[in-house]
Amino acid sequence: MKIAVISDIHGNLEALKKAVQDIEKRKVNTIVCAGDLVGYGPYQNEVIEYINSKNILLIYGNYDAAVANNDVNFIKDTPFNKNFALPWSVNTVSEENKNWLKKLPESITLAINGKVIKVVHGSPLKVNQYLFEDAEDTKEIMEKFQGDVLVCAHTHLPFVKYFGDKMMINDGSVGKPKNATHNITYALINIDYEISAEIIELKHDNSALIEELKRLDVHKEVIDSFVEGK
């Protein structure tokens, strides 16, 4: 069985379409989205509509929660987020879509061929906790984790790592990478008697998205983050 995990789309519709088209070519059984459909990008409602048109399992991310509830505590409480980034997204996303985001689950647990895969956005403890590959709190989380595979997102930095006989996967980001590129990443998990996983990276050009942000007169810090991949 093949499972693809996407996340951190952040209003980047073209990147999302490109990722899903590539996934569909690989004949996966299930697509799971680990949250953060909205925030930053210009096509936040369109991303939700596209996700709804596909058979995708879905949880909410911290930015989804921040926008749906107009609550900066789910994201970094900085002047930029509080005074611009969050208000702009709150005003951009429709009330219908905010209510839809509020109904999404916080996590998904899949039991396949005797293996347990848990999908969260930040960590099993908090939706906005960053679990970096070599951090001490990541190791502590994995020591306590009861399943076989923990899939997370949020950092926008992809990796696959073993902690003893347990695997941790971060699928990276479809729409807003933080590895100094514009490239799309997602995770592809193969589950048979054993589990294997790989990070798929697709070349992408965000020029059209950046021009749309400029046309909308979005804050320069948002534009720069897409330009620089940070």
Side-chain angles (χ1 to χ4, degrees):
M1 183 171 186
K2 289 183 180 179
I3 298 173
V5 183
I6 61 175
S7 74
D8 297 283
I9 299 151
H10 289 297
N12 191 337
L13 181 62
E14 290 308 310
L16 172 61
K17 288 181 176 180
K18 189 170 186 176
V20 172
Q21 287 166 4
D22 187 78
I23 289 166
E24 289 175 343
K25 290 177 184 176
R26 296 174 188 268
K27 307 296 185 184
V28 303
N29 301 95
T30 302
I31 304 175
V32 180
C33 179
D36 272 9
L37 284 72
V38 302
Y40 301 111
Y43 305 110
Q44 300 178 52
N45 290 302
E46 292 86 348
V47 162
I48 290 173
E49 290 166 12
Y50 183 81
I51 285 282
N52 271 326
S53 74
K54 300 291 182 177
N55 186 25
I56 294 176
L57 297 176
L58 189 67
I59 63 174
Y60 71 83
N62 68 304
Y63 221 107
D64 299 325
V67 171
N69 297 284
N70 193 13
D71 187 348
V72 74
N73 291 310
F74 286 102
I75 56 179
K76 291 180 180 178
D77 190 354
T78 64
F80 168 71
N81 279 331
K82 185 182 293 184
N83 298 327
F84 176 75
L86 181 58
W88 183 71
S89 293
V90 168
N91 290 331
T92 298
V93 177
S94 70
E95 289 302 316
E96 180 182 359
N97 284 335
K98 287 176 199 168
N99 289 330
W100 178 81
L101 288 169
K102 289 177 182 178
K103 296 175 184 177
L104 296 177
E106 186 175 4
S107 66
I108 291 173
T109 301
L110 304 172
I112 303 168
N113 293 342
K115 305 294 185 181
V116 176
I117 301 97
K118 187 177 182 70
V119 182
V120 299
H121 182 73
S123 83
L125 302 179
K126 294 178 66 177
V127 69
N128 59 354
Q129 182 177 4
Y130 289 95
L131 294 182
F132 293 104
E133 183 174 1
D134 297 318
E136 189 61 31
D137 56 350
T138 302
K139 181 180 176 182
E140 292 171 1
I141 288 282
M142 290 305 294
E143 285 174 351
K144 296 175 182 178
F145 178 59
Q146 296 297 309
D148 297 288
V149 181
L150 178 64
V151 181
C152 60
H154 190 43
T155 66
H156 300 211
L157 299 170
F159 66 84
V160 176
K161 184 172 182 175
Y162 279 93
F163 293 80
D165 59 354
K166 294 178 282 189
M167 179 188 291
M168 182 174 180
I169 302 167
N170 190 309
D171 65 287
S173 173
V174 165
K176 198 172 185 296
K178 293 185 178 179
N179 58 0
T181 75
H182 294 176
N183 292 349
I184 295 160
T185 60
Y186 69 87
L188 187 63
I189 308 170
N190 288 281
I191 306 168
D192 199 349
Y193 296 105
E194 301 294 333
I195 300 175
S196 62
E198 61 179 316
I199 301 298
I200 306 298
E201 183 170 355
L202 307 175
K203 293 286 186 183
H204 188 63
D205 183 352
N206 274 332
S207 298
L209 177 140
I210 290 163
E211 288 305 311
E212 180 65 8
L213 289 172
K214 289 178 180 178
R215 187 188 71 80
L216 294 169
D217 198 25
V218 175
H219 196 287
K220 185 177 183 296
E221 190 172 333
V222 169
I223 297 172
D224 288 346
S225 70
F226 280 102
V227 170
E228 298 171 15
K230 65 178 185 180

